[in-house]
Structures are given as C-alpha cells and as structure tokens.
Amino acid sequence: MASTKPQLLRNLHVEFIRSLDNKKDSLEYHLTSHLKLNGVYWGLTALDLLGRLDVFEKEDVITFILACQHSNGGFSGNVGHDPHLLYTLSAVQILATLDSLDRIDSARVVDFVKNLQDPESGAFCGDIYGEVDTRFVYVAISCMSILSSLDQIDVDKAVEYINRCKNFDGGYGSVPGAESHSGQIFCCVGALSIVNRLDTVDIDKLGWWLCERQLSNGGLNGRPEKKEDVCYSWWVLSSLAMLDRLHWIDHEKLIEFILGAQDDEAGGIADRPGDMADVFHTVFGLAGLSLLGYPDLKPVDPRYCMTRDVTKRLGL
Ligand SMILES: [Zn+2]
C-alpha cells in the first residue's frame, strides 16, 4: 500500500489554539497559570504564522497584557504574579505583533530591563532575585531592539559576556564554563545577530555542532546523547539560519518528523510523535516548518521568533 505523506493540519491547529482559552477549569490550566502571558505569545505567533490572527480578540489580549505590567515597568506571567524579564519580552512581542506598542509606556519597560544589567560583567539577571543566564542577555537585547532602545544598555559589555560563555566546540552555555546547549546557542547567536556581532562566532565549527543534532529519524536534539524534540526544530534551525548554514541539515526528514508529531484529532503539535500536543511545541514546530520553506506559512524572523511581517513593520 502506498503511504501518503502527512500534511500540515492547519484548521485543526487553529481550533486547538482557540480552545486553549476555554480550558479554565482544567488542572493543566492552573498548573501553568504563571505562564499565561507566554502562552498568549506562543498561541498568537502560531496563528500569525498560519495567517489567522483574526482568531484572537485583540482588545481582550491587550487588556490582559496591560494588567500584567507592574509599576517598575516589568511584566509578570499572569495578573498578580512577580515581574520577570522573560514575560516582559513576551508582552513586548505580543504588542508588537498586534501593532499596539503605543499602548504601553515603553520608557518604563526600558528602565526595568536596563536595571537588570550588571555593569561589571555585562550579564543580565532575570529579575530582582539575581539569577544570571545567557537567556536573559538575549531577552534584554531582543526587547530593547524591538523598543528601539539598544542605546540604553551596554551592548559591548553584553557581547563580552556572551563571548565568555563560548565553548571549545563553538557552542554556548548558560554561564561561563557551562556545556553547550541548543537553547542557549539560539540565545547567544540571536543576541549577536541582532547587534551585528556574528563576527565573534566560530561559524563553521558551531554550524557543524548544530547539524549534528539531527538524528536518523529526522528530528533534532538539544545536545549530544539526548532525545529528539520538536522545539529544537526552532532553537537549532533558527541558529543555523542566522549563520547561513540551514542547508546543512536534511529538510525533508525534519519536515516529516514535525508533521508526524501533530495530533490528527484535536490539533496541536507535540514534542515528538505519540506524545500530547501543547501550544509551546505547536508554535516552534510551525516556526521550524516556516524556516524550512513549508508552503503557505508566513516567513519567520529567526532572530526574534515573530513573523517577518512584524519585524519589517518595526524596521528590524
Ligand atoms: Zn521540547
């Protein structure tokens, strides 16, 4: 029997994202309520990639985002939680996607972000409790870039810090001396790409390490000896795209792997075939497919994980 190639289940994915907001009684909803703002960003970006932003009630989303902002300028993951740099970027990305950045006082957001930079090391903390990680350098740079305020932070120091996190294999870890990991590599390469400092990257060595993440089943893992996972279709692929080495991996096999992780009944994409779908893996699966040139998805900007429509409008 001839096997038919799997297709992207567009309408089911739109329905899956639409249904997320109706699940307020589920345990899952309460366990992840601190991530609500990130969930909105993932769902909204997935819909933008599918060309279906009309599904979101724009004013409802904006009202929710504004209710998550604190007097220090930062945003929390839900109303009444503590502000954090990660949610602050998501809030800015959501407003940028909805062409509504003018609805917030961006000067306060800029203050929140710039106060989290350590003037000595150039690193950023995620919040006032002081945890340091290369993820936060990316988040700060991405956020300041979207708000046209890169001149408000010490970019040279931040680049210096990223370079201190570079390893012998060309990759980057979370702090100096920590092992290379694809998520951290995306953050470091993304930050360097935004500030035009890819000259500091060991491009071929890192490109080789990244393309070695593809396993025989077509999926990508985050570091050696780990299992394949759809979200690495984003962290690894976007890094390869920024390094202009996207052609170093097998596109066909990866497309087949991502499509195989779709839920063909309820919609959504899981971390790997057979697992439960969630909005996080749905957006990164779609963004990965977009980078691979899958038909009828909007082009995605590998530096920001927003559609090119949005980043072009912002002049990025
Ligand atoms: Zn994952």
Side-chain angles (χ1 to χ4, degrees), residues 203-223:
I203 292 182
D204 281 341
K205 202 188 250 187
L206 177 54
W208 180 246
W209 188 93
L210 288 165
C211 73
E212 279 191 316
R213 305 280 57 79
Q214 189 163 36
L215 304 176
S216 56
N217 61 15
L220 306 175
N221 64 10
R223 54 199 156 118

Side-chain angles (χ1 to χ4, degrees), residues 68-90:
C68 291
Q69 192 177 24
H70 293 250
S71 53
N72 64 3
F75 290 81
S76 48
N78 205 340
V79 180
H81 292 223
D82 290 333
H84 194 282
L85 201 48
L86 292 174
Y87 306 122
T88 303
L89 174 62
S90 291

Side-chain angles (χ1 to χ4, degrees), residues 229-232 235 271 280-281:
D229 184 324
V230 162
C231 60
Y232 291 107
W235 313 119
D271 57 353
F280 176 84
H281 289 92

Side-chain angles (χ1 to χ4, degrees), residues 227-245:
K227 275 179 112 174
E228 69 286 354
D229 184 324
V230 162
C231 60
Y232 291 107
S233 310
W234 174 254
W235 313 119
V236 174
L237 274 188
S238 56
S239 303
L240 284 168
M242 291 185 276
L243 301 177
D244 202 17
R245 298 291 184 277

Side-chain angles (χ1 to χ4, degrees), residues 32-47:
T32 56
S33 69
H34 64 289
L35 286 172
K36 180 139 192 264
L37 200 145
N38 281 4
V40 173
Y41 159 67
W42 297 324
L44 192 71
T45 302
L47 289 172

